[in-house]
Amino acid sequence: MTKYIFVTGGVTSSLGKGIISASLAKLLQARGYRVTIQKFDPYINIDPGTLNPYEHGECYVTEDGAETDLDLGHYERFLNTPTSQANNVTTGRIYQHVIERERAGDYLGKTVQVVPHITDEIKRRMRLLGETGEYDIVITELGGTVGDIESLPFIEAVRQLRWELGNNDSLVIHLTLVPYLAAAGELKTKPTQHSVKMLLEYGIQPDILVCRTEHRIGHDIRKKIALFCNVNINAVIESADASSIYDVPLLMLKEQLDKTVLAKLKLSNKNEPDLENWKAFLGRVKNPTAEVKIGLVGKYVELPDAYKSINESFIHAGAQNECKVTVRSIAAESVNNDNVEEKLKGLDGVLVAPGFGERGLEGKIAAIKYVRENNIPFFGICLGMQVAVIEFARNVLGLKDANSYEMDKKTKHPVINLMEDQKNIKNMGGTMRLGAYPCELKKGTKASAIYGKQRISERHRHRYEFNNDYLKQYEKAGMIASGINPDNNLVEIIELKDHPFFVGGQFHPELKSTVANPHPLFVNFVAASLIKAGKR
């Protein structure tokens, strides 16, 4: 029978439930267990697809085209296994389903209420992955903080589900904060006590407490927390600040979180976790032999989580190249033709980030023109690729008012156009080209050499495409369409013939980069930047 682990958070948000969940899953996976993680978010949006990145960080897209929470990116990067629509559920999706059933008459005239109808639907979705027979353990992370009004139905559903599952088939891990008061010179356990007390009021006794802290938690503090929170002292786990999120699985191993979990679930811990490849990766991250400076030009650079997967992909690619990748964020709006040289000074490569809307467009064009003309390695993702197409049209093909139809509906030269199947869409949510699509690579191109094969699959999230009416002009002038979707002939990858590294992808390669499998485009972009820096 599948075992269930629920991870809740208390005291404050942003304590790292996603990293703790992914780290525990990594340890259990390394012991030979089949593990998956799912995230339940309490907001009323159906999914984060229509949220501004400043609201909720990046929107992570799965293979099957679900727009999901960025924590699913951590799950995939740690476990090296794909997630799906079933791995991320929001309050909005729960209520939408229940209301649709009510409209269809499925409740036979009953009064539809939070209990039992909403909680039943939450429980059904919590068990979906476990019922496939593919997993030994399902870890469910509950978004938000215990005590939030919107989180209550999820907490109640966990209480009911634990009762239904019976002993030894589920447990609750509660992540709390043990703050250090500098004036008093001591750690304080009271916030943790109050958080657990609130959980108890809702009918849930946590089995394990993971305590986030800036300072080491001594035996006396653990003993006090255990006493006041009704847990064993060995179930009080220290989670001290780490220099890298990739350190956390090893820190949790040292704290024996995985052993404590297996003991409570009555599962064998005979197999010691095989983490040799993970430790080798960490060794390369912490002992680089060189450094490269990459500029990330984007709209949302003030919030690191807006480009979370890109930043993590650079860590993976840096480890593969045994170098440190220092990413310098550059606000696209701040760049123009007069200051572009100063803005990009000292960089070994430039990545132009994905996004939507006109803001920062001219700055991105100025940056791409500069790196194209000065042979600086360039990598464009989604809108970044489209802006490279616009820049080339204006400055090489002589199409001065060339633009994307997204930015200028009246442009004479829409070198980036709205996809045919997008033209009659009115609803914005979940209607883009989403998820994995195939791509055929042309032989003899840089893209073909990078991937080492002719057919690939990459994840998409866009409405606009390269306008094939202009393709011959581009290829004649030296910009090659090196990747084509075989089903609809859409251009997926562009590259320049006579340039050290100038590649743009209509897809999002950062979504498929993991610790075990760094993405080849990022690996080769970093390698090209190392050559530019004179370090290879």
Side-chain angles (χ1 to χ4, degrees):
M1 181 182 281
T2 302
K3 308 279 188 174
Y4 294 85
I5 299 171
F6 301 99
V7 181
T8 60
V11 185
T12 179
S13 58
S14 302
L15 289 181
K17 290 193 299 292
I19 301 300
I20 291 295
S21 299
S23 298
L24 173 59
K26 183 67 201 173
L27 295 177
L28 296 172
Q29 183 192 59
R31 286 180 178 273
Y33 288 102
R34 300 172 303 159
V35 189
T36 190
I37 321 176
Q38 53 190 2
K39 174 82 181 281
F40 279 66
D41 273 309
Y43 52 77
I44 298 175
N45 302 66
I46 301 298
D47 57 47
T50 54
L51 285 172
N52 185 313
Y54 284 139
E55 288 281 323
H56 206 67
E58 76 172 2
C59 176
Y60 189 83
V61 179
T62 59
E63 286 284 293
D64 62 351
E67 292 176 292
T68 68
D69 184 82
L70 62 79
D71 273 334
L72 271 72
H74 292 309
Y75 306 163
E76 291 200 9
R77 286 188 284 272
F78 276 54
L79 298 181
N80 198 37
T81 54
T83 54
S84 70
Q85 178 85 61
N87 292 77
N88 192 200
V89 180
T90 67
T91 291
R93 198 174 290 284
I94 297 287
Y95 273 83
Q96 183 187 47
H97 181 82
V98 170
I99 290 167
E100 284 173 354
R101 287 193 62 197
E102 185 274 330
R103 292 289 81 187
D106 291 354
Y107 296 117
L108 303 174
K110 292 279 187 184
T111 303
V112 179
Q113 297 175 290
V114 173
V115 181
H117 302 99
I118 296 298
T119 51
D120 281 354
E121 178 59 18
I122 294 171
K123 287 188 294 180
R124 184 184 74 83
R125 296 199 183 224
M126 284 178 170
R127 297 182 80 149
L128 272 179
L129 290 168
E131 289 169 350
T132 62
E134 296 176 22
Y135 304 105
D136 303 311
I137 301 166
V138 175
I139 299 175
T140 302
E141 177 194 344
L142 300 187
T145 308
V146 170
D148 296 345
I149 290 173
E150 56 264 37
S151 298
L152 286 174
F154 294 101
I155 299 294
E156 170 60 18
V158 170
R159 185 193 68 78
Q160 294 178 22
L161 191 52
R162 292 202 73 194
W163 181 257
E164 294 166 14
L165 289 169
N167 294 332
N168 307 321
D169 285 333
S170 73
L171 63 81
V172 171
I173 298 174
H174 190 52
L175 180 64
T176 74
L177 178 67
V178 179
Y180 179 79
L181 294 189
E186 60 183 356
L187 292 162
K188 289 296 181 181
T189 65
K190 195 63 73 177
T192 293
Q193 293 177 44
H194 282 306
S195 185
V196 171
K197 183 180 178 184
M198 191 168 287
L199 254 187
L200 287 167
E201 287 176 7
Y202 298 146
I204 294 177
Q205 166 65 55
D207 300 280
I208 297 171
L209 296 177
V210 176
C211 301
R212 289 285 289 113
T213 178
E214 296 175 1
H215 295 262
R216 302 301 303 270
I217 297 175
H219 180 78
D220 288 346
I221 294 283
R222 291 185 196 238
K223 190 175 177 182
K224 185 176 181 181
I225 291 172
L227 176 66
F228 282 103
C229 298
N230 308 328
V231 297
N232 297 328
I233 192 166
N234 67 349
V236 178
I237 305 293
E238 176 189 281
S239 178
D241 289 354
S243 59
S244 162
I245 60 171
Y246 300 108
D247 284 319
V248 179
L250 299 183
L251 294 174
M252 291 302 100
L253 178 68
K254 188 178 178 183
E255 285 287 302
Q256 299 191 343
L257 175 60
D258 54 330
K259 278 189 175 180
T260 305
V261 164
L262 291 173
K264 288 182 179 296
L265 292 176
K266 295 289 190 283
L267 292 171
S268 169
N269 64 5
K270 288 178 185 175
N271 298 333
E272 284 300 308
D274 179 6
L275 293 166
E276 290 310 306
N277 291 337
W278 192 271
K279 289 175 182 175
F281 162 76
L282 263 178
R284 292 193 300 273
V285 168
K286 294 186 175 186
N287 301 287
T289 58
E291 182 182 0
V292 289
K293 294 181 175 67
I294 303 290
L296 191 157
V297 182
K299 284 171 64 177
Y300 309 108
V301 292
E302 292 90 346
L303 182 73
D305 276 359
Y307 303 115
K308 190 67 178 173
S309 291
I310 290 174
N311 288 320
E312 296 306 316
S313 297
F314 276 129
I315 293 173
H316 308 156
Q320 189 80 353
N321 283 285
E322 296 186 349
C323 75
K324 179 184 179 183
V325 180
T326 300
V327 178
R328 188 203 300 170
S329 296
I330 301 166
E333 287 171 283
S334 71
V335 183
N336 56 52
N337 288 321
D338 296 327
N339 68 9
V340 63
E341 184 175 0
E342 182 63 30
K343 288 283 184 183
L344 304 185
K345 189 176 181 180
L347 295 176
D348 306 312
V350 171
L351 182 146
V352 175
F356 296 92
E358 191 176 4
R359 183 166 64 85
L361 177 71
E362 296 304 322
K364 290 179 179 179
I365 288 173
I368 291 171
K369 180 175 187 288
Y370 184 81
V371 298
R372 178 178 59 78
E373 292 177 346
N374 290 277
N375 287 330
I376 297 169
F378 164 77
F379 187 13
I381 296 177
C382 199
L383 181 63
M385 170 264 205
Q386 295 178 358
V387 179
V389 169
I390 296 167
E391 187 279 325
F392 196 83
R394 291 184 185 180
N395 299 316
V396 178
L397 301 182
L399 307 175
K400 293 300 178 188
D401 74 334
N403 212 329
S404 166
Y405 183 76
E406 177 187 8
M407 315 304 176
D408 181 4
K409 302 287 190 288
K410 296 178 181 176
T411 178
K412 290 179 184 175
H413 297 290
V415 291
I416 302 296
N417 211 350
L418 189 62
M419 299 170 68
E420 280 300 320
D421 59 2
Q422 293 285 318
K423 288 184 177 176
N424 296 316
I425 285 174
K426 297 290 186 287
N427 286 344
M428 299 302 287
T431 55
M432 285 183 278
R433 188 169 182 236
L434 293 164
Y437 287 87
C439 174
E440 295 278 357
L441 303 179
K442 289 184 180 175
K443 290 180 181 176
T445 60
K446 191 179 290 291
S448 177
I450 286 170
Y451 279 96
K453 51 187 174 183
Q454 300 310 123
R455 191 178 178 95
I456 60 170
S457 171
E458 293 284 3
R459 298 183 198 175
H460 291 249
R461 185 175 184 247
H462 64 105
R463 296 185 195 280
Y464 298 85
E465 61 169 309
F466 183 97
N467 189 339
N468 282 337
D469 293 345
Y470 293 86
L471 184 54
K472 285 184 180 177
Q473 280 180 259
Y474 276 90
E475 298 212 312
K476 189 176 179 182
M479 182 173 274
I480 307 300
S482 55
I484 302 286
N485 183 296
D487 301 325
N488 51 26
N489 212 34
L490 294 182
V491 173
E492 299 277 15
I493 305 175
I494 57 98
E495 62 183 66
L496 283 184
K497 273 183 180 177
D498 304 316
H499 194 283
F501 190 101
F502 193 102
V503 177
Q506 181 57 78
F507 45 82
H508 289 261
E510 72 274 20
L511 301 179
K512 294 189 75 168
S513 185
T514 69
V515 169
N517 287 304
H519 197 284
L521 283 173
F522 277 91
V523 171
N524 281 269
F525 174 53
V526 169
S529 301
L530 272 169
I531 293 169
K532 168 67 179 170
K535 296 170 182 173
R536 172 141 315 170

